[in-house]
Amino acid sequence: MTVAANKTVERLVDSQSKHAEKYGLIGALVYYEVASTASVDHDRLENLFNHYGLSVKDLPELPSPHKVFTYCVNRGSVGISDAQVIRISKETSHDIWGIYPVEVTDDGSVMEREATLGEPLAKLGFFPDDPRNPGSPGLMASEGGQITDQPSNPVAAGIISEWRRRCNLHTNPDISHMIRCLLQKMSRIRMKNSGHLYFVPASSLDTLYRLKSVVSELGGGDTYLAVLPLADHPDNLNEVACEAKAGFEESIKFLRDKVKSFSDVTRESTKERTVEEALDLKAQLELYRDISAELVESLQSDADALVDEVRDMMGVS
């Protein structure tokens, strides 16, 4: 956030705080940014959740070991420059990659190598048949017929080291998704044409400030969650009510269209999740009664009808 933006936010917070002393709060506006380079170790994030009183059930899931392995070899995340890493085959239930020396053509370009030609310097994979890798195997290397997690080949060793680091790491997409999901649970509405600007009702402010504390420790000033408390003032009430109405109408339409798209091949788990989404939407609507009873009453029949439609589709009462 720029210095000018920070000063603007500070002025707004000061102004709203003065009104709040007189009128109380209806909620807060929330804006967040996650730096492209943001990352956090899963164990540290779990400690932060415990420290600030957030449920660890809301922690993002870690990527699968196999997905991380593919990332490491495809993105050259360990600075591979003197070797080619090529998928050989599926010798077991997982891909096996071979490490080959780089061959340069007469014009200085790297020659594309066929993985079927010659024995690689080392192989990389999960080798679940190896007795040292039972159950959920870790990434291992095979050199000279011997399977090891400490290969002598520097490229293989570098990939294994990077794989271990990334297997327990959350990056920008994970952190952004985590924030969105937690805001969703706070019954937030997205302000129109405003990017990552949301309104969170007063009933969720305690959880919001806990999340803000966690985010403040995830990457310095480039990763942040800004909170602007909104006073229980007629101007704020009218603005939030209009935004909430538009947001709920959009959500109801989205779920109704989703139900209409269902067919005989739609998974039962998808239908069950839609029932939960409809019930959650109805519950979220009720949280806005203190802001505008008129808003809730105007949308209540649509929300009830949506729940009935979804239940009829599922064949449940």
Side-chain angles (χ1 to χ4, degrees):
M1 187 180 291
T2 64
V3 174
N6 266 319
K7 290 182 177 179
T8 299
V9 170
E10 289 172 1
R11 286 196 300 270
L12 289 170
V13 170
D14 182 61
S15 172
Q16 289 294 326
S17 296
K18 290 178 180 177
H19 285 306
E21 293 175 3
K22 181 177 180 181
Y23 300 107
L25 292 174
I26 60 170
L29 290 179
V30 184
Y31 181 82
Y32 72 90
E33 288 283 356
V34 179
S36 60
T37 57
S39 65
V40 60
D41 182 86
H42 182 82
D43 295 337
R44 178 167 183 264
L45 186 59
E46 183 174 352
N47 289 336
L48 288 172
F49 266 54
N50 285 324
H51 179 73
Y52 290 109
L54 290 177
S55 172
V56 293
K57 293 180 180 179
D58 294 319
L59 285 167
E61 292 184 1
L62 284 166
S64 73
H66 306 91
K67 183 177 180 180
V68 175
F69 177 36
T70 302
Y71 174 89
C72 289
V73 295
N74 282 340
R75 298 290 294 271
S77 55
V78 293
I80 299 171
S81 59
D82 57 350
Q84 291 176 293
V85 185
I86 305 171
R87 180 184 277 111
I88 301 173
S89 65
K90 292 188 175 181
E91 294 184 1
T92 63
S93 59
H94 307 297
D95 289 357
I96 302 296
W97 294 69
I99 299 173
Y100 292 86
V102 167
E103 294 185 4
V104 180
T105 62
D106 293 338
D107 62 3
S109 60
V110 175
M111 182 184 299
E112 291 296 327
R113 188 184 187 100
E114 291 289 338
T116 55
L117 298 179
E119 184 68 16
L121 301 173
K123 296 179 183 178
L124 284 169
F126 292 91
F127 305 105
D129 297 330
D130 183 72
R132 287 170 296 178
N133 260 356
S136 300
L139 182 61
M140 306 283 275
S142 174
E143 292 181 311
Q146 298 296 313
I147 295 178
T148 176
D149 61 355
Q150 296 180 324
S152 59
N153 181 275
V155 175
I159 291 177
I160 289 176
S161 175
E162 182 71 359
W163 174 83
R164 286 175 180 155
R165 186 182 76 86
R166 286 188 171 273
C167 271
N168 201 47
L169 193 70
H170 294 295
T171 54
N172 173 292
D174 298 330
I175 297 170
S176 297
H177 182 69
M178 175 193 77
I179 294 173
R180 287 196 302 273
C181 288
L182 280 165
L183 289 176
Q184 176 69 41
K185 294 185 71 171
M186 296 177 207
S187 304
R188 95 293 183 268
I189 55 171
R190 189 168 188 165
M191 309 300 279
K192 292 179 295 185
N193 304 316
S194 57
H196 293 165
L197 183 64
Y198 300 90
F199 171 78
V200 170
S203 57
S204 297
L205 287 183
D206 178 65
T207 305
L208 176 63
Y209 280 108
R210 293 175 190 274
L211 175 61
K212 183 177 186 294
S213 296
V214 169
V215 174
S216 69
E217 300 198 36
L218 298 184
D222 292 333
T223 297
Y224 61 86
L225 188 147
V227 177
L228 173 61
L230 285 183
D232 189 355
H233 187 274
D235 290 342
N236 291 337
L237 286 169
N238 291 336
E239 179 69 20
V240 169
C242 289
E243 293 283 356
K245 187 174 190 300
F248 279 113
E249 287 176 340
E250 183 178 342
S251 296
I252 289 172
K253 181 180 183 303
F254 172 79
L255 286 177
R256 185 162 282 146
D257 290 343
K258 185 177 179 181
V259 171
K260 290 178 181 178
S261 71
F262 288 165
S263 67
D264 293 339
V265 297
T266 302
R267 292 180 178 179
E268 288 301 310
S269 60
T270 301
K271 295 179 180 180
E272 291 169 359
R273 189 162 55 249
T274 305
V275 173
E276 295 174 1
E277 290 173 352
L279 291 172
D280 286 345
L281 183 65
K282 184 178 176 180
Q284 289 174 15
L285 177 61
E286 191 61 34
L287 293 176
Y288 283 79
R289 188 174 291 279
D290 290 341
I291 295 175
S292 173
E294 182 181 352
L295 162 71
V296 176
E297 295 301 330
S298 68
L299 293 174
Q300 191 76 59
S301 59
D302 286 340
D304 289 340
L306 173 64
V307 172
D308 290 340
E309 287 176 29
V310 176
R311 282 177 166 164
D312 288 344
M313 174 269 301
M314 287 289 294
V316 298
S317 59

